[in-house]
Amino acid sequence: MTETTEAQVAAEVKTPSPTAENATEVPAATTNGHAEEQPASEQKPTEETNGTSTEDKAKSEPKEELPPPKEMRAVVLTGFGGFKNVKILKKPEPAPQTGEVLIRVKACGLNFQDLMVRLGAIDSPPKTPTILGFECAGEVEAVGEEVEGFKVGDRVVALPEFRAWSELVAVPTKYVYHIPDEMTFQDAAAIVMNYLVAYILIFDLISLREGKSILLHSVGGGVGQAIVQLARTIPNVTIFGVCSKGKHEALAATGLIDHLIDRTDYVNEVRKITTEGVDVVMDCLCGEECNRGYGLLKPMGKYILYGSSNVVTGETKSFFSVARSWWQVDKVSPIKLFDENKSLAGFNLRHLLYQQDGSAYVRSTVDKIFDLWKDGKVKPVVDSAWALEDVAEAMQKMHDRKNIGKLVLDPAMEPKPKPATPAKTKSKKQASEDKSSKKDKSSENGDDKKDEEAKTNGEEGEAAATTPEAVNGDSAEKKEEPVATNGEATESEKKESS
Amino acid sequence: MTETTEAQVAAEVKTPSPTAENATEVPAATTNGHAEEQPASEQKPTEETNGTSTEDKAKSEPKEELPPPKEMRAVVLTGFGGFKNVKILKKPEPAPQTGEVLIRVKACGLNFQDLMVRLGAIDSPPKTPTILGFECAGEVEAVGEEVEGFKVGDRVVALPEFRAWSELVAVPTKYVYHIPDEMTFQDAAAIVMNYLVAYILIFDLISLREGKSILLHSVGGGVGQAIVQLARTIPNVTIFGVCSKGKHEALAATGLIDHLIDRTDYVNEVRKITTEGVDVVMDCLCGEECNRGYGLLKPMGKYILYGSSNVVTGETKSFFSVARSWWQVDKVSPIKLFDENKSLAGFNLRHLLYQQDGSAYVRSTVDKIFDLWKDGKVKPVVDSAWALEDVAEAMQKMHDRKNIGKLVLDPAMEPKPKPATPAKTKSKKQASEDKSSKKDKSSENGDDKKDEEAKTNGEEGEAAATTPEAVNGDSAEKKEEPVATNGEATESEKKESS
């Protein structure tokens, strides 16, 4: 990695951002489809070098006094859609503006939100091309004007709205937090977003108390694992963790979850254990799970919606699944809540942080989380670490809900040599998981759309009107080159994720 | 008062309950209409005697060994409607059944719910005739079989579902709580219901934190005053108290409320003070205030509905006001809460206690409240105490939202001598308040219905469709003899109450 001085950075800020067209471009490797066939060794060498490509030199030749604009590797979304739109590109290094610090990124956190951004399935989506990523940790390399409380060399974690998955990122200090000396960058990137959500849910919105029971979707994901740990700081809490059967063994081994419930029939499974229901339902899925979750509440129970990952079904955006997630959610009158002694809440960290000026509140919560970490009460579960070049594969794993805990990217990490060389940075277990995952995908490739619709309708027997028009609308949407993940994705339609 | 032995009680349990028709009946005195014309001195003497009327003697003559069935005075609702249906009747003394204690009542609490019961404006209304009242304090006079933890002579407060406003009441022990030795019965009856609601809202549902702001309707009422006191146990809480202008001076004198807001235009008044809104809205009114309250929330704000006193407008049940309270409440999607970072909650103590088996939770909360009382953090505000015979006047005062703090009944208290003799048990201030109240009522008597509708429509400018049909439906409803309070009631349509 190149160390950049402040003088260099100042010179480079005038360089216009390259568009997707003129940037040096390498598609992010995926584990499936055509991209998978292309071994890392065949990728363009510019991907691994930094600011020294011939293209760059040609550009900067007329200005002899100025050094060539420095470039960095970044994970760029070139357009909404499938994994092929996620590319590793060379981008000019940013410079910190007033109130910003420039961070040399050492670790990035993947969040389910990143999948939704890729699909364009979020409100106020960014303009493409854009550098992806909401979460990174690293060292302050330069500080902009009017910055207080941060200096070069500070170890920090940041929550920029996009642009976190890059070698360098300039972030307004209101989204930057110092990390404890003993905390690794990887742990920092694995902690902040997930534990922020978990902490705010557990302590500020639910105010979970001794003796209460909680039902938690996607218990194997990063937020799920964070919620479990924080809930365990309160005595005598009963945790019903919902996830796919395949994760039960690994999660049972943690000994933290009282009842592991398969997601296919979780309502009946919970009712078998407790006819009266639960005190809290934490829902990151949305759609029909809202109604089901509300129905599972005891009197004085609290339901909270903090994600809408049910929107993500296939690899590309599905109007059908988006519409389903909206139409199936019953509106509730406050009078019903009054009659039934129930609460409904929603939490959206992105809106809070970037649209609702919640940065001071978030900062105070980060402090509390780091205090808990120092006390040993917060131990981030990292599923696996990946090179930037392997981001598509990491996203695929999250999409398939195969992760237990957090997926992180490490810009300094070597991409996985493919396909023959054994994975250098992974455990045996991890490598074998990947292998079997690939097998599934290749065998299911082909009849993706048809398969998805059939399974969707089958699974939504309880749901409200899903008209043929809606299905057609979905099918008629973006006719992308089919990618191997579609068949797989439908299997995990009722999914668990970070 | 007569002391009853357990033997007597056992004998009397077989006595059939007299119906409203055969019971000795005296209408409760009211401050208005025809009842007002009848001074207490002209009331039937049987009201003041106990179980010794000639009628009783005639009944018991054939059974010479048995003593005549003992009777007690009770506040009986003979049918849903106006104050004339609230009567002081002689009823046979109850005996404690299995799991019950018999309580000699020393003080009763009035709650807004009692007005709604009188109107029949609650769900699952009781069959009439019924003894009114949800709250009383007194001494255990007898214990039924299988009672543990209570003995004769214990000082207790109780929350039976109805029947509390009587000289004696038998209550299942799950609704009975020991009171601290130093606590008066009047304070006990003034504390339990109001502080239960306030405590659960503040600490369990809202989980109010340091630095937060709350908006509170009916801040002058019993629950309002309790919420203010409990909120003040948390540092740096900003309280916006909404009530009629007439109470501002008295409430300002307490020094506990940061911003006293007139209820007629409270949304704009609050926005003038804080453009961003408030963290918490506590709404006991329902109807259009639900939408307004939600609109006043900051991000991460919590709205809670814990009453529907907007239903009570005129003295008799108004389908118009009931419908208004329902139709004007917008249903909310959990997705909206997710987008806006907001919470909605409902709390209904009656449902929790009698329909949802919340008695253990309520008992543990009563313990916490009594601990706060012992620490001097809970000091019930008692507006005034009344004889059973003056219950209609007390209810009228609550209906008119003239009270600050709790109204209590004392079965041992002498009724107010009317009209000439000065009130024996009241302060000068109280007596003069009553006087002016009467004046208002008599002057406005006559064009009650028309007046009510006009004011209603005028005040509901922001509200959704209030069709002429709804108005007609209302007018066509129960054609009771007009009672003087209707004109007055419309003045306090946006009301504050306990």
Side-chain angles (χ1 to χ4, degrees), chain B residues 109-400:
Chain B
L110 259 82
N111 295 288
F112 204 86
Q113 200 168 234
D114 299 309
L115 303 191
M116 298 177 69
V117 172
R118 195 201 71 222
L119 295 169
I122 55 163
D123 59 291
S124 324
K127 284 185 186 162
T128 56
T130 186
I131 299 176
L132 284 172
F134 289 93
E135 187 177 29
C136 62
E139 276 179 15
V140 173
E141 186 150 300
V143 296
E145 286 178 21
E146 296 175 27
V147 164
E148 285 179 16
F150 292 91
K151 61 181 191 308
V152 173
D154 280 0
R155 302 173 76 249
V156 296
V157 64
L159 295 177
E161 190 175 23
F162 310 113
R163 298 176 295 107
W165 295 352
S166 181
E167 289 179 310
L168 283 165
V169 59
V171 186
T173 53
K174 64 177 172 177
Y175 307 130
V176 183
Y177 319 93
H178 284 103
I179 63 175
D181 291 343
E182 312 76 21
M183 186 181 278
T184 66
F185 291 118
Q186 200 173 94
D187 274 4
I191 284 176
V192 173
M193 182 83 88
N194 289 353
Y195 283 82
L196 261 176
V197 173
Y199 189 100
I200 291 170
L201 296 183
I202 292 277
F203 294 109
D204 288 352
L205 291 174
I206 299 298
S207 295
L208 189 64
R209 301 292 164 84
E210 188 171 346
K212 298 289 181 188
S213 57
I214 66 175
L215 180 133
L216 180 55
H217 287 287
S218 302
V219 69
V223 176
Q225 291 291 289
I227 290 173
V228 167
Q229 278 183 17
L230 293 181
R232 280 279 162 254
T233 65
I234 298 157
N236 193 26
V237 166
T238 304
I239 301 177
F240 293 78
V242 182
C243 62
S244 63
K245 204 85 183 172
K247 288 184 180 180
H248 285 204
E249 195 179 333
L251 289 172
T254 66
L256 294 173
I257 300 162
D258 300 283
H259 305 286
L260 278 158
I261 312 276
D262 184 43
R263 61 191 159 82
T264 50
D265 189 28
Y266 69 92
V267 171
N268 286 327
E269 291 298 313
V270 171
R271 289 281 182 204
K272 274 181 208 163
I273 298 166
T274 167
T275 51
E276 59 182 346
V278 295
D279 294 303
V280 174
V281 171
M282 304 178 105
D283 180 5
C284 57
L285 305 179
C286 199
E288 58 190 348
E289 314 316 336
C290 293
N291 309 343
R292 289 180 183 155
Y294 183 88
L296 272 174
L297 290 180
K298 282 184 196 176
M300 300 297 287
K302 299 175 182 183
Y303 165 91
I304 186 155
L305 178 66
Y306 68 98
S308 55
S309 60
N310 265 349
V311 164
V312 180
T313 49
E315 192 208 346
T316 53
K317 184 175 174 178
S318 156
F319 282 152
F320 180 65
S321 67
V322 172
R324 214 162 29 107
S325 282
W326 279 80
W327 293 341
Q328 288 178 358
V329 178
D330 287 344
K331 288 185 173 183
V332 179
S333 167
I335 295 171
K336 183 178 166 74
L337 301 174
F338 172 65
D339 282 338
E340 299 181 356
N341 278 312
K342 291 184 180 179
S343 301
L344 282 181
F347 180 61
N348 186 324
L349 181 61
R350 181 176 169 231
H351 287 188
L352 180 68
L353 206 47
Y354 311 118
Q355 295 168 23
Q356 299 171 345
D357 197 24
S359 58
Y361 167 63
V362 167
R363 178 176 302 282
S364 72
T365 308
V366 170
D367 290 343
K368 290 173 190 165
I369 291 163
F370 287 164
D371 287 345
L372 286 171
W373 179 85
K374 288 174 196 165
D375 293 345
K377 288 178 178 158
V378 158
K379 288 179 188 169
V381 177
V382 176
D383 177 89
S384 46
W386 306 73
L388 291 188
E389 289 74 13
D390 295 326
V391 63
E393 191 177 341
M395 290 176 99
Q396 179 75 56
K397 185 172 188 184
M398 176 172 272
H399 182 286
D400 298 340

Side-chain angles (χ1 to χ4, degrees), chain B residues 319-320 468-477:
Chain B
F319 282 152
F320 180 65
E469 286 80 335
V471 175
N472 291 339
D474 175 51
S475 300
E477 210 216 328

Side-chain angles (χ1 to χ4, degrees), chain A residues 215-222 224-225 228 239-252 254 257 259-267 269-270 282 284-285 400-405 491-492 494-498:
Chain A
L215 180 133
L216 179 56
H217 287 287
S218 301
V219 69
Q225 290 291 289
V228 167
I239 301 176
F240 294 78
V242 182
C243 61
S244 63
K245 204 86 185 170
K247 288 184 179 180
H248 284 204
E249 194 179 335
L251 289 172
T254 67
I257 301 162
H259 305 286
L260 277 158
I261 311 278
D262 185 43
R263 61 192 158 81
T264 50
D265 189 28
Y266 70 92
V267 171
E269 291 298 312
V270 171
M282 304 178 104
C284 57
L285 304 179
D400 297 341
R401 287 76 184 180
K402 301 257 187 220
N403 59 307
I404 293 182
E491 284 207 335
S492 55
K494 300 284 160 49
K495 72 222 58 106
E496 51 286 323
S497 68
S498 77

Side-chain angles (χ1 to χ4, degrees), chain A residues 29 110 117 144 359 459:
Chain A
L110 260 81
V117 172
S359 58
E459 282 192 15

